[in-house]
Amino acid sequence: MAVTNGRPGSASPNGRSRTERLLTFLGSVRFAIFLLSFIAATSILGTLIKQQASSEEYVSLFSEQGYAVIHIFGLDDVFHSWWFLLALVLFSLNLILCTVNRFTLFLKNRSSEALPKESYLSTLALTFFCQGTRLEEVQRLCRGYRAVLTSQQGVILEKGRFAQYGVFIIHTSILLILLGGLLGLMLGFKGSLNLPVGESADTITLRGGGEAARRSLDFSIRCVDFRVSFYENGQPKEFLSSLEVVENKRVVLKKDVRVNDPLTHRGISFYQATYGTDAAFEFVIGGKSVLLNEGGTFRQGSLALMVVRYAPSVHDFGPGVQVAYLDNGEPKAIWFLRDVPRLREQTIAGIPVKLERLTQQQYTGLEVTSDPGLWFVWCGFFLLMAGLYINFGFYHRRVYLIPRDNGVMVAGTSRKNREGFKREFERLKERIDA
Amino acid sequence: MRDSPELLLYISLAFYLVASGLYLLSLRQSRVRNWAYYSLLGGFIAHAAAIGVRYSHAGYTPITNMHESLSFLVFCLAGFFIYLKTFYRASILGVIVSPVLSVLLIFAFSFSSEIRPLPPVLRSFWLPIHTIFAFVGNAVFLMGFLVSIIYLVAERHIKNKKSDSILPGLPPLEILDLMNYKCMSLGFPLLTVGIVTGSIWAEYAWGSYWNWDPKETWSLITWIVYAIMVHNRLAIGWRGRKTAYMMILGFTSILVTFVGVSFFVGGLHSYL
């Protein structure tokens, strides 16, 4: 046995180096089962403890000390904690080592086919001796079997050889899915966009990043129309947004996006998630009608203003909208009150501004995601299903034919589906006997 | 006409109940076992009709709430039993399976059976694909669970040398283990396809193929339990009792995924 790291003294008594033993352990089925159990057990914790909630919520649920423990161990976000990711990385490593080991062994066995010893054949449960026949005749009756080895001492026949590849396909597919997941986690993003009808946007709000986490797109998206249809009982049946993708002032893509039918452009997908209404304020600024939401801004020449907030009742004078503006570079704020004529129309920077009306504006709630790992996952899914079909739908079996003085010795073996093979073998025996 | 799916389902329940009674009676008088099977077969046919009529009334695959999914699970279990009986001469299993069918269908009736309009997110062709694979898989594993319990009970009886077991004519342990293997090699791919199709659907509906939502997480836990079982059986060579315990553990996980998450945890999947 070679000592791979070359240092003297690192070889263990049984002649294998530490590295070798470590690799064997890392690629073992036992380690795989340990890791899978660990992932399953911690996933259970992830469904019992509320995930990604606010610290206040945890304190009220588990007390101050309880939250401290939860936070230290990352139990408030199990599936993104370092130790969960580590377990997944170790699992991938295990899968790679285990699959490579098995595959090299598989190839080695393939390249050195030899008839098994008599002592092995006699241990097989499925054997019979048929008297007075020639080997060629028996071989002819083994329909669907292919000869792997033909020699004076005997013949090895096999069937369903490709079923052996199933396990390798399955393991590769799992690795592809994990790789796709990792790519999505590192390079992808998830966000949302509430888009009022008739408006367009080129930035979205990233999920879980608070108000500040925004991301700009390389194009803008416009909501041309939004429609909801209802069932008789008032429950929504379907909602859809007519969206347009605008690049360099040109519409490059149009699509009606509905639940279960997203729009994808440049690897970014828009999903119909929700809808709702926002308070909207129609102003007339210098004779021009402008519709603004809370937080909406308007700029024209020296005039720059922003709607700060809406209040349904301002000092019992009825509903009002607070507007901030720059007065010679100095920020100021004033209230526009709908029911007080003097405060409904005011002059900012010499331009008359009037609060025309308070209205509701419908918006479409879009989920926006980008996931560069998606195709890896899709390929992984396809291979996984194909591999399972091959692995469980078919099986590999062998029949050994050994010529004797007065007949042929027939022995059969299969690692999987032994019962099915037993029946097949019995039918074969009947055919040969007849 | 509005009530016909329900009426058919009650007829099917009646058949299942009669089958349960006859199977029980068949322990003393084996002559009636054929009649018990015909009754179960009648229940299965009525059940198929009930699901068909409900489909045409509702306009969608009726596996969208607790009542419908339990009913469909019962239908799949009955179908899988018929399959097993045809190929493995395992008619004695009917003694256990038919009462389970009856009890689960009665349980299904404890939930509202009203046909409700479908929420937008479920209006997708993935609905039949995902739910049918998931529930056929669940039914196969439910059978594996029942077979495993019988296996453990039978093994215990043999160990205690009580040859006059509660179930005379019980198949030998190897046959039970073989059925367990069959359930594993059918159930595991079906469960996987159920999860994969659900995942693809989630990508189209919610923009993410995996959200770690409780239902998804528990289905992964279930998948891991069965994956461990598959490896123990195929790579390490476990047989008999140990795989029976794994089957029981796996089905417990299915129960949590199917029922527990909907009732106690919530999340994106709680369509009760």
Side-chain angles (χ1 to χ4, degrees):
Chain A
M1 290 281 159
V3 179
T4 45
N5 59 4
R7 267 187 292 129
S10 66
S12 66
N14 59 21
R16 294 198 307 163
S17 72
R18 263 185 216 158
T19 336
E20 239 177 302
R21 275 187 301 158
L22 183 69
L23 279 179
T24 314
F25 169 73
L26 286 177
S28 66
V29 179
R30 267 170 53 205
F31 188 50
I33 289 175
F34 166 75
L35 284 172
L36 282 171
S37 309
F38 177 81
I39 291 166
T42 48
S43 295
I44 295 177
L45 278 182
T47 62
L48 294 179
I49 300 168
K50 200 173 176 195
Q51 298 291 291
Q52 294 178 322
S54 66
S55 52
E56 291 85 5
E57 228 171 312
Y58 288 115
V59 170
S60 73
L61 279 171
F62 302 100
S63 83
E64 199 80 50
Q65 291 92 334
Y67 175 57
V69 173
I70 284 173
H71 192 68
I72 285 172
F73 290 106
L75 294 174
D76 48 355
D77 196 3
V78 169
F79 306 113
H80 302 99
S81 65
W82 64 267
W83 47 265
F84 195 79
L85 285 176
L86 180 69
L88 288 178
V89 168
L90 283 175
F91 176 66
S92 309
L93 188 68
N94 169 268
L95 207 50
I96 293 169
L97 286 171
C98 170
T99 309
V100 168
N101 282 348
R102 277 198 63 168
F103 199 64
T104 41
L105 198 68
F106 171 74
L107 291 179
K108 212 165 101 188
N109 287 344
R110 281 263 152 233
S111 59
S112 57
E113 286 295 358
L115 267 178
K117 289 199 184 84
E118 193 76 13
S119 58
Y120 169 75
L121 286 176
S122 61
T123 61
L124 295 179
L126 301 173
T127 52
F128 67 90
F129 185 73
C130 65
Q131 205 139 16
T133 41
R134 281 177 38 240
L135 195 146
E136 289 73 30
E137 221 151 305
V138 177
Q139 189 175 349
R140 197 173 49 79
L141 288 167
C142 296
R143 278 173 222 144
Y145 279 85
R146 222 173 50 89
V148 185
L149 181 103
T150 312
S151 72
Q152 289 292 312
Q153 286 76 41
V155 174
I156 305 176
L157 299 173
E158 69 172 3
K159 197 174 180 177
R161 177 184 183 169
F162 69 99
Q164 288 179 300
Y165 293 98
V167 65
F168 302 118
I169 297 174
I170 294 169
H171 286 176
T172 311
S173 75
I174 305 270
L175 285 170
L176 267 179
I177 294 168
L178 287 170
L179 179 67
L182 186 68
L183 282 176
L185 206 61
M186 290 192 317
L187 306 172
F189 62 82
K190 284 188 171 73
S192 60
L193 172 64
N194 285 353
L195 198 55
V197 177
E199 291 196 12
S200 59
D202 54 9
T203 58
I204 59 151
T205 311
L206 290 177
R207 195 191 289 172
E211 275 298 299
R214 293 187 70 80
R215 185 189 172 101
S216 58
L217 309 170
D218 297 334
F219 52 86
S220 65
I221 188 118
R222 182 159 63 215
C223 178
V224 181
D225 193 13
F226 178 80
R227 291 189 299 274
V228 202
S229 59
F230 295 93
Y231 289 110
E232 278 167 29
N233 69 354
Q235 216 179 296
K237 181 181 183 183
E238 186 184 70
F239 41 109
L240 75 97
S241 317
S242 299
L243 298 184
E244 280 180 356
V245 175
V246 183
E247 261 179 19
N248 302 324
K249 294 181 181 167
R250 258 186 51 236
V251 176
V252 291
L253 186 64
K254 273 186 186 189
K255 182 167 176 170
D256 285 348
V257 169
R258 52 195 104 203
V259 184
N260 281 311
D261 187 14
L263 170 152
T264 304
H265 182 65
R266 289 177 181 258
I268 298 171
S269 299
F270 297 83
Y271 300 83
Q272 185 69 68
T274 58
Y275 61 92
T277 47
D278 258 349
F281 320 103
E282 192 182 335
F283 285 91
V284 176
I285 303 172
K288 217 171 74 180
S289 177
V290 178
L291 195 66
L292 290 173
N293 300 105
E294 223 169 61
T297 55
F298 177 81
R299 241 175 240 279
Q300 192 184 54
S302 60
L303 180 69
L305 60 81
M306 181 178 99
V307 175
V308 179
R309 64 194 171 109
Y310 165 76
S313 176
V314 183
H315 301 301
D316 294 335
F317 285 114
V321 180
Q322 193 180 31
V323 170
Y325 62 97
L326 287 177
D327 185 13
N328 293 325
E330 209 177 301
K332 286 193 173 167
I334 51 168
W335 280 94
F336 284 83
L337 300 184
R338 188 191 64 183
D339 301 335
V340 182
R342 192 173 54 82
L343 293 175
R344 190 171 183 179
E345 192 167 359
Q346 301 180 62
T347 307
I348 300 174
I351 297 167
V353 177
K354 185 186 175 194
L355 176 63
E356 185 66 30
R357 74 199 166 92
L358 301 171
T359 145
Q360 295 279 312
Q361 194 180 28
Q362 193 154 45
Y363 69 85
T364 175
L366 302 170
E367 191 80 10
V368 187
T369 69
S370 163
D371 188 348
L374 196 60
W375 282 101
F376 286 89
V377 176
W378 276 187
C379 290
F381 279 174
F382 175 76
L383 282 179
L384 176 60
M385 293 194 286
L388 282 168
Y389 178 65
I390 292 171
N391 193 57
F392 286 104
F394 304 90
Y395 65 101
H396 176 240
R397 62 273 205 193
R398 287 189 151 191
V399 170
Y400 302 103
L401 306 177
I402 314 291
R404 290 285 160 78
D405 296 338
N406 54 348
V408 181
M409 160 97 164
V410 184
T413 174
S414 75
R415 288 197 66 186
K416 272 189 299 176
N417 194 15
R418 292 197 176 140
E419 190 61 24
F421 180 61
K422 198 175 153 196
R423 284 183 205 181
E424 186 181 284
F425 196 76
E426 274 157 10
R427 276 200 302 274
L428 179 72
K429 185 174 185 295
E430 280 164 27
R431 235 185 1 248
I432 293 171
D433 285 345
Chain B
M1 264 317 272
R2 192 82 197 154
D3 294 321
S4 62
E6 224 132 297
L7 183 65
L8 279 165
L9 207 56
Y10 277 116
I11 291 172
S12 129
L13 175 61
F15 272 117
Y16 291 145
L17 284 168
V18 170
S20 310
L22 287 176
Y23 266 117
L24 213 61
L25 195 66
S26 79
L27 292 177
R28 297 200 175 267
Q29 286 183 301
S30 51
R31 283 180 299 128
V32 295
R33 189 163 296 161
N34 272 342
W35 287 105
Y37 177 66
Y38 295 142
S39 181
L40 192 147
L41 209 58
F44 180 71
I45 292 164
H47 205 156
I51 291 172
V53 172
R54 194 180 174 95
Y55 173 82
S56 72
H57 278 204
Y60 56 78
T61 313
I63 316 176
T64 61
N65 55 36
M66 218 51 186
H67 168 79
E68 291 171 348
S69 5
L70 273 169
S71 159
F72 189 71
L73 179 71
V74 169
F75 176 71
C76 295
L77 184 67
F80 188 53
F81 168 71
I82 291 166
Y83 165 82
L84 277 184
K85 176 177 179 299
T86 313
F87 291 96
Y88 292 89
R89 283 167 258 124
S91 67
I92 188 84
L93 272 187
V95 179
I96 308 288
V97 171
S98 53
V100 169
L101 295 175
S102 312
V103 167
L104 283 180
L105 201 52
I106 291 169
F107 189 43
F109 274 114
S110 73
F111 296 93
S112 164
S113 63
E114 186 198 350
I115 293 178
R116 273 166 293 183
L118 210 55
V121 71
L122 293 187
R123 289 165 53 98
S124 163
F125 67 89
W126 288 106
L127 171 67
I129 300 174
H130 168 56
T131 52
I132 288 173
F133 275 113
F135 277 100
V136 174
N138 284 352
V140 169
F141 278 137
L142 172 53
M143 185 67 87
F145 169 76
L146 297 175
V147 166
S148 297
I149 287 178
I150 298 172
Y151 181 95
L152 293 175
V153 172
E155 196 196 36
R156 193 170 217 160
H157 270 262
I158 290 167
K159 263 195 186 156
N160 297 349
K161 297 205 172 74
K162 286 184 207 161
S163 50
D164 53 329
S165 64
I166 18 164
L167 289 178
L170 203 66
L173 287 180
E174 302 96 82
I175 296 291
L176 286 171
D177 191 45
L178 183 74
M179 283 186 203
N180 221 340
Y181 178 80
K182 193 81 201 160
C183 293
M184 178 189 89
S185 52
L186 271 174
F188 190 64
L190 284 167
L191 173 72
T192 311
V193 176
I195 295 173
V196 163
T197 51
S199 189
I200 299 172
W201 186 8
E203 175 68 31
Y204 281 98
W206 299 316
S208 174
Y209 58 85
W210 199 260
N211 283 301
W212 293 109
D213 120 288
K215 193 95 166 184
E216 292 172 348
T217 309
W218 270 100
S219 73
L220 178 71
I221 294 164
T222 305
W223 190 84
I224 288 176
V225 172
Y226 285 117
I228 291 175
M229 183 179 78
V230 167
H231 284 85
N232 278 332
R233 186 144 198 166
L234 295 183
I236 298 179
W238 280 15
R239 292 280 175 279
R241 198 194 324 158
K242 284 176 173 174
T243 45
Y245 281 128
M246 286 302 286
M247 265 289 182
I248 291 170
L249 185 66
F251 190 71
T252 315
S253 182
I254 288 188
L255 271 186
V256 177
T257 316
F258 175 35
V259 188
V261 171
S262 302
F263 282 106
F264 304 112
V265 189
L268 299 167
H269 264 91
S270 30
Y271 305 111
L272 276 178

